[in-house]
């Protein structure tokens, strides 16, 4: 997959329906549920044994960068909008992009000790404060900050369209740094609120997907 | 999880609880007045038999079965009981005299804390009930802590108090599913789990829990489990009259109960039948397990001794002649302490 270079303001990048995104069909990525055996506590394993984990089967992903900010647009079918936590048994929809912050950080396990994964996390009920996270294994995610990652979601006609973006280079230890012209791996995860998905109960892209970050001299072809 | 060095515990004597809810209000005023905490009652007192708070919590799973975690349910806010408002302003300050009466504002609730108050069980003349106060049990094998994928629940290594670290909590509520006593609450405003903290800021200053100090019935004993000179050890380990609620849930609670004694039942002819208790033993066993039989037997023996003018350490303890002796050394007056808000 390519992250297309486009001379676009951040505001327009954050609008999943803006012109630059309309020009990008993106690529469909198959998702699978995190295996129940990998869930970090016995209570979770027992509660989810035999149940479907990962209610969302696929997501369409496109990427654009403007030389400064890299943005992903995720687009998936979801008949139920869960944008608010309405009761003790209600959970919000959420999505995340993960990037290796160390060589051979394992994707399925959300990193490992000394091999962190950097996560850009959007949750429908915290729309204005997407999270910048680091993780070194399942259940270890820790918030780096709540200002670096920008995200915006629109739910319409049974679909979520969510843009998750971050400056390619940030001054945060644990953050992945991205250079135009390079190739990086990325992963996607989706949590379906109406299915009570949260934490490690999610659908994810099985392995790192390759993403070529177009060089900035490639011209504004988008 | 490593066992804590010591364990704070509470014993509640069900023979003395009058269901006044002073403990409940003491806790509410002290700890759960912030936004999102309206529906929370870390301390509840329910009439037994009854459906409890949250409704039917004993049927909601969680805890352990044969040492393995058992799936549990997430009780909804309406099962706990939403915090409804009254028209206090109208009634007390509205200048409407006797025309305004207390009325619930907004949607009429269908359940609430101790909703089935004083309904109890049994058929006349053998009807019966008693009160069961509950807080978090600060378990030795805390299902809540073990369920959390983020290790956001901590058991204090020095005193065994179980607390939620709200900085690590992300509101996933696996703890709420896992706690078989349903003593974890989700704060919708703060998006984190919250629970009884055993009044640790008071305990740290040598002051007993608010629910215990405020109790007019002298129901609650507080202290370290292993303090051999204090009431907890004597009631739980020495006299073996204080027993945990639902030991079969497998979490090893550190709140213990002196079970309720009851008068003898009436038989079909209206005669007193000394062989049967007004509170059916099967019911008590369903709450406290088989240990309740032994506990009640000891209580009866010691009461008889006391009636015959003999001295009984157990009965003297339970009477709690000296109020301060109930608190295992945590007997400082909170008014003498300079509290610093951090
Ligand atoms: S009573 Fe529930 S909340 Fe309290 S420690 Fe035990 S399992 Fe955890
Ligand atoms: S425990 Fe004490 S304060 Fe609470 S209801 Fe019983 S008598 Fe009242």
């Amino acid at each position: 997959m390519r992250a297309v270079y486009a001379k676009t303001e951040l505001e327009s990048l954050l609008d999943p329906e803006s012109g630059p995104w309309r020009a990008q069909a993106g690529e469909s990525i198959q998702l699978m549920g995190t295996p129940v055996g990998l869930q970090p506590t016995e209570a979770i394993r027992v509660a989810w044994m035999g149940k479907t984990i990962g209610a969302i089967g696929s997501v369409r992903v496109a990427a654009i960068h403007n030389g400064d900010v890299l943005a992903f647009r995720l687009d998936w079918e979801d008949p139920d909008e869960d944008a608010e936590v309405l009761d003790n048994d209600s959970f919000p929809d959420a999505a995340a992009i993960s990037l290796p912050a160390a060589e051979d950080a394992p994707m399925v396990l959300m990193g490992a000790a000394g091999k962190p994964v950097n996560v850009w996390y959007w949750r429908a009920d915290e729309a204005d404060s997407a999270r910048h996270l680091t993780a070194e294994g399942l259940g270890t995610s820790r918030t780096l900050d709540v200002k670096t990652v920008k995200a915006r979601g629109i739910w319409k006609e049974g679909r979520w369209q969510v843009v998750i973006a971050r400056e390619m280079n940030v001054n945060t230890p644990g953050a992945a740094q991205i250079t135009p012209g390079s190739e990086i791996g990325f992963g996607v995860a989706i949590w379906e609120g109406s299915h009570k998905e949260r934490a490690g109960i999610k659908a994810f892209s099985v392995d790192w997907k390759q993403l070529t970050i177009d060089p900035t001299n490639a011209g504004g072809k988008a | 999880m490593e066992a804590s060095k010591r364990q704070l515990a509470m014993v509640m004597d069900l023979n003395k609880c009058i269901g006044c809810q002073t403990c409940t209000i003491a806790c509410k005023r002290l700890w759960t007045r912030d936004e999102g905490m309206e529906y929370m009652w870390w301390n509840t007192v329910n009439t037994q038999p009854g459906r409890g708070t949250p409704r039917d919590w004993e049927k909601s799973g969680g805890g352990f079965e044969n040492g393995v975690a058992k799936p549990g349910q997430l009780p909804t806010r309406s099962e706990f009981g939403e915090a409804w408002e009254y028209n206090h302003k109208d009634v007390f300050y509205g200048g409407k005299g006797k025309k305004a009466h207390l009325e619930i504002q907004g949607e009429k609730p269908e359940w609430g804390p101790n909703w089935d108050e004083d309904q109890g069980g049994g058929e006349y003349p053998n009807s019966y009930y008693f009160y069961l106060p509950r807080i978090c049990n600060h378990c030795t094998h805390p299902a809540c802590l073990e369920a959390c994928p983020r290790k956001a629940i901590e058991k204090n290594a020095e005193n065994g108090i179980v607390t939620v670290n709200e900085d690590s909590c992300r509101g996933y509520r696996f703890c709420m599913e896992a706690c078989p006593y349903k003593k974890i609450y989700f704060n919708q405003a703060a998006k984190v789990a919250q629970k009884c903290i055993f009044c640790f800021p008071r305990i740290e200053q040598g002051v007993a829990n608010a629910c215990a100090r405020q109790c007019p019935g002298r129901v609650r004993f507080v202290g370290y489990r292993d303090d051999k000179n204090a009431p907890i050890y004597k009631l739980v380990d020495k006299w073996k009259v204080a027993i945990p609620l639902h030991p079969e849930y497998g979490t090893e609670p550190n709140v213990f109960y002196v079970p309720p004694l009851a008068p003898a039942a009436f038989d079909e002819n209206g005669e007193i039948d000394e062989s049967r208790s007004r509170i059916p033993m099967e019911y008590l066993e369903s709450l406290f397990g088989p240990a309740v039989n032994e506990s009640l037997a000891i209580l009866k023996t010691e009461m008889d001794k006391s009636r015959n003018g003999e001295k009984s350490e157990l009965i003297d303890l339970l009477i709690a002649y000296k109020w301060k002796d109930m608190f295992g050394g945590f007997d400082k007056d909170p008014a003498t302490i300079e509290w610093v808000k951090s």
Side-chain angles (χ1 to χ4, degrees):
Chain A
M1 213 177 103
R2 271 175 66 204
V4 178
Y5 172 68
K7 270 195 182 140
T8 308
E9 293 296 312
L10 176 65
E11 258 319 291
S12 136
L13 272 185
L14 284 176
D15 174 2
E17 295 185 312
S18 70
W21 287 118
R22 264 185 266 137
Q24 301 299 323
E27 213 174 274
S28 174
I29 294 181
Q30 293 302 307
L31 305 177
M32 69 170 253
T34 317
V36 73
L38 290 183
Q39 299 302 325
T41 70
E42 183 183 75
I44 302 178
R45 291 192 292 275
V46 168
W48 285 83
M49 190 71 71
K51 289 193 191 145
T52 312
I53 298 180
I56 304 298
S58 71
V59 57
R60 189 161 274 284
V61 182
I64 300 179
H65 80 92
N66 63 8
D68 197 20
V69 169
L70 171 62
F72 292 86
R73 186 199 57 202
L74 316 180
D75 174 328
W76 73 96
E77 206 178 303
D78 179 0
D80 310 293
E81 181 194 19
D82 303 291
E84 261 178 284
V85 177
L86 300 168
D87 206 333
N88 294 335
D89 58 352
S90 136
F91 294 89
D93 293 326
I97 291 290
S98 54
L99 304 165
E103 240 181 279
D104 13 289
M107 149 102 215
V108 184
L109 298 168
M110 288 278 286
K115 293 177 181 174
V117 163
N118 182 206
V119 182
W120 307 357
Y121 176 86
W122 164 90
R123 197 164 98 176
D125 67 323
E126 298 179 337
D128 304 326
S129 54
R131 281 176 189 252
H132 196 207
L133 310 167
T134 180
E136 296 187 32
L138 288 171
T140 67
S141 73
R142 182 166 60 78
T143 303
L144 292 169
D145 61 74
V146 287
K147 53 178 198 287
T148 325
V149 175
K150 310 279 178 220
R152 204 161 297 164
I154 301 175
W155 185 89
K156 216 160 72 181
E157 291 154 14
R159 298 192 78 80
W160 271 115
Q161 290 184 77
V162 177
V163 172
I164 304 180
R166 203 204 70 186
E167 278 181 23
M168 290 193 278
N169 293 292
V170 291
N171 230 337
T172 317
Q177 308 293 341
I178 301 150
T179 333
S182 69
E183 189 163 284
I184 61 167
F186 75 97
V188 198
I190 311 271
W191 290 261
E192 173 50 36
S194 68
H195 193 56
K196 298 194 174 23
E197 293 187 349
R198 72 272 200 201
I201 306 294
K202 64 182 183 220
F204 74 111
S205 54
V206 180
D207 211 344
W208 299 116
K209 303 284 165 202
Q210 291 309 307
L211 182 70
T212 310
I213 315 290
D214 275 2
T216 40
N217 57 13
K221 271 192 268 170
Chain B
M1 188 200 64
E2 276 190 38
S4 58
K5 282 186 209 128
R6 299 186 82 187
Q7 177 67 55
L8 282 161
M10 193 179 280
V11 168
M12 305 195 200
D13 183 353
L14 299 185
N15 293 294
K16 294 164 87 182
C17 178
I18 56 171
C20 66
Q21 309 281 0
T22 308
C23 47
T24 309
I25 298 302
C27 177
K28 183 84 200 161
R29 292 197 60 90
L30 195 51
W31 300 121
T32 59
R33 296 179 75 187
D34 286 350
E35 200 198 342
M37 297 176 124
E38 297 83 356
Y39 84 102
M40 290 182 202
W41 300 92
W42 291 353
N43 183 98
T44 45
V45 184
N46 280 84
T47 298
Q48 300 295 134
R51 295 174 74 183
T53 306
R55 187 173 59 210
D56 298 328
W57 65 271
E58 288 160 294
K59 295 181 191 150
S60 63
F64 304 92
E65 205 165 62
N66 305 319
V68 180
K70 186 177 161 191
Q73 283 154 26
L74 284 170
T76 61
R77 293 167 60 107
S78 60
E79 283 167 337
F80 281 103
E82 292 281 2
W84 56 83
E85 296 282 342
Y86 287 101
N87 52 338
H88 284 134
K89 272 203 188 120
D90 257 15
V91 174
F92 297 125
Y93 316 106
K96 292 187 183 151
K98 287 179 181 159
K99 280 194 296 265
H101 300 287
L102 272 187
E103 271 175 69
I104 291 173
Q105 302 299 288
E107 221 177 292
K108 297 279 175 285
E110 283 170 15
W111 192 254
N114 203 18
W115 188 262
D116 45 7
E117 180 172 17
D118 293 0
Q119 290 178 15
E123 287 291 323
Y124 178 83
N126 286 320
S127 17
Y128 67 94
Y129 70 74
F130 58 91
Y131 299 109
L132 179 69
R134 299 199 302 124
I135 61 171
C136 158
N137 295 298
H138 298 275
C139 304
T140 297
H141 190 188
C144 57
L145 178 153
E146 291 170 31
C148 177
R150 299 184 57 77
K151 299 193 169 66
I153 302 187
E154 294 157 7
K155 185 165 177 70
N156 187 289
E158 305 298 324
N159 59 28
I161 296 178
V162 176
T163 52
V164 178
N165 178 343
E166 292 184 17
D167 294 329
S168 316
C169 175
R170 286 290 282 140
Y172 294 148
R173 290 160 263 169
F174 294 111
C175 55
M176 209 177 174
E177 282 180 7
C179 170
Y181 298 93
K182 295 298 170 244
K183 276 293 173 190
I184 295 224
Y185 302 79
F186 176 63
N187 182 321
Q188 220 165 297
K191 299 182 181 180
V192 291
Q194 292 174 329
K195 64 180 286 298
C196 160
I197 56 173
F198 208 77
C199 285
F200 77 81
R202 292 166 64 103
I203 289 284
E204 281 170 359
Q205 302 283 341
V207 181
N209 315 52
C211 57
R213 262 190 85 96
Q214 295 284 310
C215 174
R218 300 197 181 182
V219 168
R220 299 177 183 226
F221 300 84
V222 177
Y224 279 111
R225 197 45 218 282
D226 61 1
D227 184 348
K228 298 207 164 138
N229 299 314
I232 301 277
Y233 178 85
K234 287 183 182 165
L235 294 169
V236 176
D237 295 288
K238 183 175 175 193
W239 284 97
K240 299 192 175 12
V241 290
I243 52 182
L245 175 65
H246 288 303
E248 76 280 12
Y249 291 170
T251 63
E252 296 175 42
N254 288 300
V255 172
F256 300 86
Y257 295 92
V258 178
L261 290 150
F266 291 100
D267 65 16
E268 308 77 67
N269 308 318
E271 303 292 333
I272 289 171
D273 175 357
E274 291 289 353
S275 71
R276 281 191 304 134
S277 158
R278 186 89 58 87
I279 305 180
M281 285 313 292
E282 309 82 73
Y283 179 62
L284 291 179
E285 282 180 24
S286 76
L287 293 178
F288 302 105
V292 73
N293 294 290
E294 187 63 12
S295 162
L296 289 176
I298 297 168
L299 279 170
K300 278 184 195 141
T301 311
E302 291 303 308
M303 278 171 76
D304 285 345
K305 258 170 67 182
S306 197
R307 282 202 188 101
N308 293 334
E310 287 173 56
K311 188 147 182 64
S312 164
E313 182 197 41
L314 176 61
I315 300 302
D316 285 355
L317 261 174
L318 290 172
I319 291 172
Y321 286 107
K322 285 200 194 129
W323 177 61
K324 282 191 170 181
D325 288 353
M326 298 182 74
F327 304 135
F330 297 95
D331 55 8
K332 275 210 195 121
D333 180 345
T336 63
I337 288 168
E338 216 179 292
W339 299 96
V340 198
K341 205 173 174 187
S342 65

